[in-house]
Amino acid sequence: MTKLSLITASYNSARTIGDTLRSVNSQTLGDFEYLVIDGGSKDDTMEIVAREGRRVTSAVSEPDKGIFDAYNKGLARARGEVIGFLNSDDFYASDTVLAEVMAAFEDETVDVVYGDLTYVDPVDTAKIERVWRSRPPTKANIARGHHPAHPTLFLRRRVYDQAGVFDLGYRQAGDVEFMMRVFQTLDLKWVHIPGIMVRMRSGGATGGDMASIMRQNRAVRQAQRDLGIRYPLAGFAFHKIVDRVQQRLRGRMAAS
């Protein structure tokens, strides 16, 4: 079976990384590589990794240039044919997520597997706030600002070989720029696994208040210009607003 490499980037994540590690521990998939790339945490993050990370195969803690630098370090260390990321404040929604992903990759022609995601309350993680249903990563959807939820995205190594790694110049949108680059430039076969794959705590650098959302969207628009993707600003804003409203409505329905 094709081997999976899973990468978690962390920095001062002692409050949340235990949930991440336990969700990976519980996965029914038997054999995979799990890398923790820490940015030199000053809290108890690495002690928790040592204590809770039963499936961790390699962990390193050293200063880095941010989360996308950590991602690239993980990619350089990873040995699997399939690569995925799970951030240190996210956790899997079920014990079978990785097994379902790798079952989809049994088809050698599949390059991409992705799913859906819920945003949950940072403290009460049983409380659902929003539901992100990932749209197919067509060029039209990418231009409108729609893309798969990155923590649910799994790619074959050959995709990174063709598209490259994360650009550290996009501090607010390095994952989005990477996905736009992949889906705009490569002809790939993808599979969407329906249902919630990941639970993500709300907030953070790009998902918190309106100012942070605006910063990320400006970074996304800059990335689109750099990649030669042309789409009217009004249309982009319209699709973003509608998508956010739909996410919240789905969250209310899921919580009721």
Side-chain angles (χ1 to χ4, degrees):
M1 179 181 291
T2 303
K3 187 174 182 180
L4 166 70
S5 289
L6 180 66
I7 300 167
T8 290
S10 63
Y11 181 69
N12 288 344
S13 305
R15 185 177 59 84
T16 60
I17 198 169
D19 288 342
T20 307
L21 297 167
R22 286 186 288 271
S23 80
V24 175
N25 291 345
S26 68
Q27 293 300 300
T28 59
L29 183 69
D31 180 32
F32 60 92
E33 178 183 54
Y34 185 28
L35 310 175
V36 174
I37 311 296
D38 183 74
S41 289
K42 305 300 190 295
D43 63 5
D44 294 335
T45 296
M46 296 311 293
E47 287 81 357
I48 296 171
V49 170
R51 185 174 67 247
E52 299 280 354
R54 292 191 289 105
R55 311 280 309 255
V56 174
T57 54
S58 177
V60 60
S61 181
E62 61 187 20
D64 58 33
K65 298 176 183 177
I67 189 170
F68 302 118
D69 188 28
Y71 284 3
N72 288 342
K73 288 182 179 182
L75 288 171
R77 290 170 174 264
R79 295 296 176 263
E81 172 59 23
V82 172
I83 299 172
F85 293 88
L86 183 68
N87 291 333
S88 58
D89 50 1
D90 305 340
F91 54 98
Y92 288 123
S94 77
D95 297 345
T96 61
V97 169
L98 296 184
E100 293 172 14
V101 167
M102 296 310 287
F105 277 113
E106 289 179 3
D107 180 346
E108 292 292 333
T109 67
V110 170
D111 304 288
V112 182
V113 174
Y114 65 96
D116 302 333
L117 174 148
T118 59
Y119 289 89
V120 297
D121 183 270
V123 178
D124 181 6
T125 57
K127 182 180 178 182
I128 296 172
E129 296 185 349
R130 290 190 279 141
V131 176
W132 180 341
R133 289 185 181 162
S134 296
R135 290 175 171 83
T138 62
K139 290 184 179 181
N141 277 336
I142 293 297
R144 297 183 186 107
H146 301 311
H147 53 80
H150 187 252
T152 76
L153 183 69
F154 293 79
L155 303 175
R156 287 198 190 271
R157 177 177 293 278
R158 63 190 181 219
V159 177
Y160 292 97
D161 292 341
Q162 295 176 77
V165 296
F166 295 88
D167 188 332
L168 304 191
Y170 298 95
R171 294 185 62 84
Q172 296 291 326
D175 51 351
V176 180
E177 188 276 339
F178 173 79
M179 288 186 286
M180 289 194 300
R181 186 176 358 126
V182 165
F183 295 117
Q184 282 287 319
T185 60
L186 302 179
D187 183 18
L188 302 174
K189 180 177 180 180
W190 58 74
V191 171
H192 174 248
I193 297 178
I196 302 304
M197 187 179 288
V198 173
R199 292 177 177 262
M200 172 187 282
R201 287 176 170 84
S202 62
T206 59
D209 59 21
M210 184 57 65
S212 67
I213 294 170
M214 292 297 292
R215 282 195 299 271
Q216 188 195 33
N217 282 327
R218 283 195 294 268
V220 170
R221 290 292 288 178
Q222 182 61 55
Q224 287 186 328
R225 288 191 291 271
D226 294 344
L227 292 168
I229 299 171
R230 300 288 180 255
Y231 197 77
L233 176 60
F236 178 87
F238 172 79
H239 285 290
K240 281 292 188 180
I241 292 169
V242 169
D243 188 51
R244 183 63 66 111
V245 170
Q246 290 175 336
Q247 288 181 16
R248 291 205 173 275
L249 289 174
R250 293 189 203 106
R252 291 175 183 174
M253 292 175 62
S256 61

